[in-house]
Amino acid sequence: MQTDHRPLAPTQPPLWSKALAQTAVEFGPTALPVLSGQIPAGLRGSLYRNGPGRLERAGKGVSHWFDGDGAILAVHLQETGASGLYRYVQTQGYRDEEKAGRYLYGGYGQLASGPLWTRWQHPTKNAANTSVLALPDRLLALWEGGPPHALDLEALTTLGVEELGGVLAGSRAYSAHPKRDAQTGEIWNFGVAYRGTTAVLNLYRSDRQGRVVRQGAVSLPGAPLVHDFALCGGFLVFCVPPVAMRWAGLPVLLGIQSYSDALHWQAGQPTRLLVIDREHLELVAQSEAPGWFQWHFSNGYEDADQTLVVDLIRYPDFRTNQYLKEVATGETRTRSDPSLWRLRLESLSGRLLESYPLLERPCEFATVQPEEVGQKARYAYLSVHTEAADPARELFGAIGRVDLETGNLEQAVCGSGCYPMEPLYAPDRLDPRRGWLLTVVFDGNREQSEVWIYAAEALAQGPVCRLALPQVVPFGFHGTWRPA
């Protein structure tokens, strides 16, 4: 039997990689031309999105997608039309590295520059690249490893580190996934502080202005990874997956390993379920369940029978971290299998009563209507793979609406070579029965970024409006809609 020793033909980079191939270019206030359709008359306000805009310096790429410098896109929809701007968050780390022309700091997956014996002296760079929180007088750029940065809502000028009245002094962490109750305007969030072999889950309740009115703390054994939580009526629910830092994070402190590389999946270990009273920020109950991993929750609510219902994007293990690391290289090969699941917990004990998939198609970035956060919702909106896509090599090519009662999925496939970001729901200001989904789409065929607007109840009909952006906006993580 003869063996064919001919070299394999080189594979073509995926079209989505073009969005990350070049450092993103800022642009100031710019009128956005309408490419098709028209802006709905009931859609007035601002779309804000955050994500890594710079993934290389001096020819050296970041070690993980999570390490790119944060840049904010704002799209303002007004009676006179649409305008947009795109600005890097002027963190201290960003300014220092811009001046030096090279990487200096460590990050989630990045080691600090310099000899091994000096790395521990370098602080971790606050990348400010994960999400945003719109307050009445400022926009917060969020990153879970430290405090937010405040920006001007219109010009996106960086105003400085936001310590929330001193609560976050000393670089105290404030996660990228706050939850806002639309009925009261109150905001809940958390931050994890590592203390050797244990960690502390710091909890915050704020008023609608962002002022912290109550704090709480829950001790966590080990050095776990906690990224998000669910607001469920009168409770907060945390699922602490069996992912933790080796040696209690000592290699990270010494500059030997990055945080990402120090994390390991503890196969066979449980996921810990925490139920916290949202008013007093005190632990009510805790339990354990067979282990899984999640980055994001879709929503939660308190059912009439004293059970808590939690919807999340569930992964069977932690391979997702490797996939996200590969995204920064422009080529992925790791399959991580995310799907939308529902949990039912007993509120008094935290015991998991049942769990089951709501949508087994690979998906992520599930959201609900803003006024339904913490309440029962009929629909979830998410990014989803098309049926023909290879989840190990492609990014999401469609957005969808899942009927949480029937399980039916309505999707909008963006087309070959077109990749949407997380869809965000915006209510119609003229008709409360209607709403719109906004997403930023990268067209890899034309190397162009656009804003697409869909009628939330008619995704399959395609976008009702497409707006051109003047520069490519790299794939980001999360955003928010702020009504006018």
Side-chain angles (χ1 to χ4, degrees), residues 57-100:
R57 284 189 184 277
K60 179 182 178 182
V62 294
S63 300
H64 197 290
W65 192 19
F66 289 179
D67 288 326
D69 291 297
I72 310 293
L73 171 70
V75 177
H76 304 301
L77 303 180
Q78 301 165 324
E79 295 294 337
T80 54
S83 64
L85 63 157
Y86 185 64
R87 298 292 192 202
Y88 282 98
V89 184
Q90 298 292 311
T91 68
Q92 186 63 53
Y94 176 81
R95 296 198 305 270
D96 289 347
E97 291 178 339
E98 278 285 280
K99 183 177 180 180

Coordinates of all heavy atoms in Angstrom, one line a residue, residues 57-100:
R57 N 0.1 44.5 18.9 CA 1.0 45.6 19.0 C 2.4 45.2 18.5 O 2.9 44.1 18.9 CB 1.1 46.2 20.4 CG -0.1 47.0 20.8 CD 0.2 47.6 22.2 NE -1.0 48.3 22.7 CZ -1.4 49.6 22.3 NH1 -0.6 50.2 21.4 NH2 -2.5 50.1 22.8
A58 N 3.0 46.0 17.7 CA 4.4 45.8 17.2 C 4.5 44.4 16.6 O 5.5 43.7 16.8 CB 5.4 46.0 18.4
G59 N 3.5 43.9 16.0 CA 3.5 42.6 15.3 C 3.2 41.4 16.2 O 3.2 40.3 15.8
K60 N 3.0 41.7 17.5 CA 2.7 40.6 18.5 C 1.2 40.6 18.8 O 0.6 41.6 19.2 CB 3.5 40.8 19.7 CG 3.2 39.7 20.8 CD 4.0 40.0 22.1 CE 3.6 38.9 23.1 NZ 4.3 39.1 24.4
G61 N 0.6 39.4 18.5 CA -0.9 39.3 18.8 C -1.1 39.0 20.3 O -0.2 38.5 21.0
V62 N -2.3 39.3 20.7 CA -2.7 39.0 22.1 C -2.8 37.4 22.3 O -2.9 36.7 21.3 CB -4.1 39.6 22.5 CG1 -4.0 41.1 22.6 CG2 -5.2 39.2 21.5
S63 N -2.7 37.0 23.5 CA -2.7 35.5 23.7 C -4.1 35.0 23.9 O -4.3 33.8 23.8 CB -1.9 35.2 25.0 OG -0.5 35.7 24.9
H64 N -5.1 35.9 24.0 CA -6.5 35.5 24.2 C -7.3 36.6 23.7 O -7.0 37.8 23.9 CB -6.7 35.1 25.7 CG -8.0 34.3 25.9 ND1 -9.3 34.8 25.7 CD2 -8.2 33.0 26.3 CE1 -10.2 33.9 26.0 NE2 -9.5 32.8 26.3
W65 N -8.5 36.3 23.1 CA -9.4 37.3 22.6 C -9.8 38.2 23.8 O -10.1 39.4 23.5 CB -10.6 36.6 22.1 CG -11.6 37.4 21.3 CD1 -11.3 38.6 20.7 CD2 -12.9 37.1 20.9 NE1 -12.4 39.1 20.0 CE2 -13.4 38.2 20.2 CE3 -13.7 36.0 21.2 CZ2 -14.7 38.2 19.7 CZ3 -15.0 36.0 20.7 CH2 -15.5 37.1 20.0
F66 N -9.9 37.8 25.0 CA -10.3 38.6 26.1 C -9.3 39.7 26.4 O -9.6 40.5 27.3 CB -10.5 37.7 27.4 CG -11.7 36.8 27.3 CD1 -12.0 36.0 28.4 CD2 -12.6 36.8 26.2 CE1 -13.1 35.1 28.4 CE2 -13.7 35.9 26.2 CZ -13.9 35.1 27.3
D67 N -8.1 39.7 25.8 CA -7.1 40.6 26.2 C -7.0 41.9 25.3 O -6.2 42.8 25.5 CB -5.7 40.0 26.2 CG -5.5 39.0 27.3 OD1 -6.0 39.3 28.4 OD2 -4.8 38.0 27.1
G68 N -7.9 41.9 24.3 CA -7.8 43.1 23.4 C -8.3 44.3 24.1 O -9.2 44.3 24.9
D69 N -7.8 45.5 23.7 CA -8.2 46.8 24.3 C -9.6 47.1 23.9 O -10.0 47.0 22.8 CB -7.3 47.9 23.8 CG -5.9 47.7 24.4 OD1 -5.7 47.8 25.6 OD2 -4.9 47.6 23.6
G70 N -10.4 47.5 24.9 CA -11.8 47.8 24.7 C -12.1 49.0 23.9 O -11.4 50.0 24.0
A71 N -13.0 48.9 23.0 CA -13.5 50.0 22.2 C -15.0 50.0 22.1 O -15.6 49.0 22.0 CB -12.9 50.0 20.8
I72 N -15.6 51.2 22.2 CA -17.0 51.3 22.3 C -17.6 51.9 20.9 O -17.1 52.9 20.4 CB -17.4 52.3 23.4 CG1 -16.7 51.9 24.7 CG2 -19.0 52.3 23.6 CD1 -17.2 50.6 25.3
L73 N -18.6 51.2 20.4 CA -19.4 51.7 19.3 C -20.7 52.3 19.8 O -21.4 51.7 20.6 CB -19.7 50.6 18.3 CG -20.7 51.0 17.2 CD1 -20.1 51.9 16.2 CD2 -21.2 49.7 16.5
A74 N -21.0 53.5 19.4 CA -22.3 54.2 19.7 C -23.0 54.5 18.4 O -22.4 55.0 17.5 CB -22.1 55.4 20.5
V75 N -24.2 54.1 18.4 CA -25.1 54.4 17.2 C -26.3 55.1 17.7 O -27.1 54.6 18.5 CB -25.5 53.1 16.5 CG1 -26.5 53.5 15.3 CG2 -24.3 52.4 15.9
H76 N -26.4 56.4 17.4 CA -27.5 57.2 17.9 C -28.6 57.3 16.8 O -28.3 57.7 15.6 CB -27.0 58.6 18.2 CG -25.9 58.6 19.2 ND1 -26.1 58.1 20.5 CD2 -24.7 59.1 19.2 CE1 -25.0 58.3 21.2 NE2 -24.1 58.9 20.4
L77 N -29.8 56.9 17.1 CA -30.9 57.0 16.1 C -31.9 58.1 16.5 O -32.5 58.1 17.6 CB -31.7 55.6 16.1 CG -30.8 54.4 15.8 CD1 -31.7 53.2 15.8 CD2 -30.1 54.6 14.4
Q78 N -32.0 59.1 15.7 CA -32.8 60.3 16.0 C -33.7 60.6 14.8 O -33.7 59.9 13.8 CB -31.8 61.5 16.2 CG -30.8 61.3 17.3 CD -29.6 62.2 17.3 OE1 -29.2 62.7 16.3 NE2 -29.2 62.6 18.5
E79 N -34.5 61.6 15.0 CA -35.5 62.0 14.0 C -34.8 62.4 12.7 O -35.3 62.2 11.6 CB -36.4 63.2 14.5 CG -37.3 62.9 15.7 CD -38.4 61.8 15.3 OE1 -38.7 61.7 14.1 OE2 -38.9 61.2 16.3
T80 N -33.6 63.0 12.8 CA -32.9 63.4 11.7 C -32.1 62.3 11.0 O -31.4 62.6 9.9 CB -31.9 64.6 12.1 OG1 -31.1 64.1 13.1 CG2 -32.7 65.8 12.5
G81 N -32.0 61.1 11.6 CA -31.3 60.0 11.0 C -30.4 59.4 12.0 O -30.5 59.5 13.2
A82 N -29.4 58.6 11.5 CA -28.5 57.8 12.3 C -27.1 58.4 12.2 O -26.6 58.9 11.2 CB -28.5 56.4 11.9
S83 N -26.4 58.4 13.4 CA -25.0 58.8 13.4 C -24.3 57.8 14.3 O -24.9 57.1 15.2 CB -24.8 60.2 14.0 OG -25.3 60.3 15.3
G84 N -23.0 57.7 14.1 CA -22.2 56.7 14.9 C -20.8 57.2 15.2 O -20.3 58.1 14.5
L85 N -20.2 56.7 16.2 CA -18.8 56.9 16.5 C -18.2 55.7 17.2 O -19.0 54.9 17.8 CB -18.7 58.2 17.4 CG -19.3 58.3 18.8 CD1 -18.5 59.3 19.6 CD2 -20.7 58.6 18.7
Y86 N -16.9 55.6 17.2 CA -16.2 54.5 17.7 C -14.9 54.9 18.4 O -14.1 55.6 17.8 CB -15.9 53.5 16.6 CG -15.3 52.2 16.9 CD1 -16.0 51.3 17.7 CD2 -14.0 51.8 16.5 CE1 -15.4 50.0 18.0 CE2 -13.5 50.6 16.8 CZ -14.2 49.7 17.5 OH -13.6 48.5 17.8
R87 N -14.8 54.7 19.7 CA -13.7 55.2 20.5 C -13.1 54.1 21.4 O -13.8 53.3 22.0 CB -14.1 56.3 21.4 CG -14.7 57.6 20.6 CD -13.6 58.3 19.8 NE -14.0 59.6 19.4 CZ -13.5 60.2 18.4 NH1 -12.5 59.6 17.7 NH2 -13.9 61.4 18.0
Y88 N -11.8 54.1 21.4 CA -11.1 53.2 22.4 C -11.3 53.8 23.8 O -11.3 55.0 24.0 CB -9.6 53.1 22.2 CG -9.2 52.2 21.0 CD1 -9.0 52.7 19.8 CD2 -9.2 50.8 21.3 CE1 -8.7 51.8 18.7 CE2 -8.8 49.9 20.2 CZ -8.6 50.4 19.0 OH -8.3 49.6 17.9
V89 N -11.5 52.9 24.8 CA -11.5 53.4 26.2 C -10.1 53.7 26.6 O -9.2 52.9 26.5 CB -12.1 52.3 27.1 CG1 -12.2 52.8 28.5 CG2 -13.5 51.8 26.6
Q90 N -9.9 54.9 27.1 CA -8.6 55.4 27.4 C -8.2 55.0 28.8 O -8.1 55.8 29.7 CB -8.5 56.9 27.3 CG -8.8 57.5 25.9 CD -7.7 57.1 24.9 OE1 -6.5 57.3 25.2 NE2 -8.1 56.5 23.8
T91 N -8.0 53.7 29.0 CA -7.5 53.2 30.3 C -6.0 53.5 30.4 O -5.3 53.9 29.5 CB -7.6 51.6 30.3 OG1 -6.7 51.0 29.4 CG2 -9.1 51.2 30.0
Q92 N -5.6 53.5 31.7 CA -4.1 53.8 31.9 C -3.3 52.8 31.1 O -2.2 53.2 30.5 CB -3.8 53.7 33.4 CG -2.4 54.1 33.8 CD -2.1 55.6 33.4 OE1 -2.9 56.4 33.8 NE2 -1.1 55.9 32.7
G93 N -3.6 51.5 31.1 CA -2.9 50.5 30.4 C -2.8 50.8 28.9 O -1.8 50.6 28.3
Y94 N -4.0 51.2 28.3 CA -4.0 51.5 26.9 C -3.1 52.7 26.6 O -2.3 52.6 25.6 CB -5.4 51.8 26.5 CG -5.6 52.2 25.0 CD1 -5.6 51.3 24.0 CD2 -5.7 53.6 24.7 CE1 -5.7 51.7 22.7 CE2 -5.8 54.0 23.4 CZ -5.8 53.0 22.4 OH -5.9 53.4 21.1
R95 N -3.2 53.7 27.4 CA -2.3 54.9 27.1 C -0.8 54.6 27.3 O 0.0 55.0 26.5 CB -2.7 56.0 28.1 CG -4.1 56.5 27.9 CD -4.3 57.9 28.5 NE -4.0 57.9 29.9 CZ -4.8 57.7 30.9 NH1 -6.1 57.3 30.6 NH2 -4.4 57.8 32.2
D96 N -0.5 53.8 28.3 CA 0.9 53.4 28.5 C 1.5 52.6 27.3 O 2.6 52.8 26.9 CB 1.1 52.6 29.8 CG 0.9 53.5 31.0 OD1 0.9 54.7 30.9 OD2 0.7 52.9 32.1
E97 N 0.7 51.7 26.8 CA 1.1 50.8 25.8 C 1.1 51.5 24.4 O 2.0 51.3 23.6 CB 0.3 49.5 25.7 CG 0.6 48.6 26.9 CD -0.3 47.4 27.0 OE1 -1.3 47.3 26.3 OE2 0.1 46.4 27.6
E98 N 0.2 52.5 24.3 CA 0.2 53.3 23.1 C 1.5 54.1 23.0 O 2.2 54.3 22.0 CB -1.0 54.3 23.1 CG -2.3 53.7 22.6 CD -2.3 53.5 21.1 OE1 -2.5 54.5 20.3 OE2 -2.0 52.4 20.6
K99 N 1.9 54.7 24.2 CA 3.1 55.5 24.2 C 4.4 54.6 24.0 O 5.3 55.0 23.3 CB 3.2 56.2 25.6 CG 4.4 57.1 25.8 CD 4.4 57.8 27.1 CE 5.6 58.7 27.3 NZ 5.5 59.4 28.6
A100 N 4.4 53.4 24.6 CA 5.5 52.5 24.5 C 5.6 51.8 23.1 O 6.7 51.4 22.7 CB 5.5 51.5 25.6

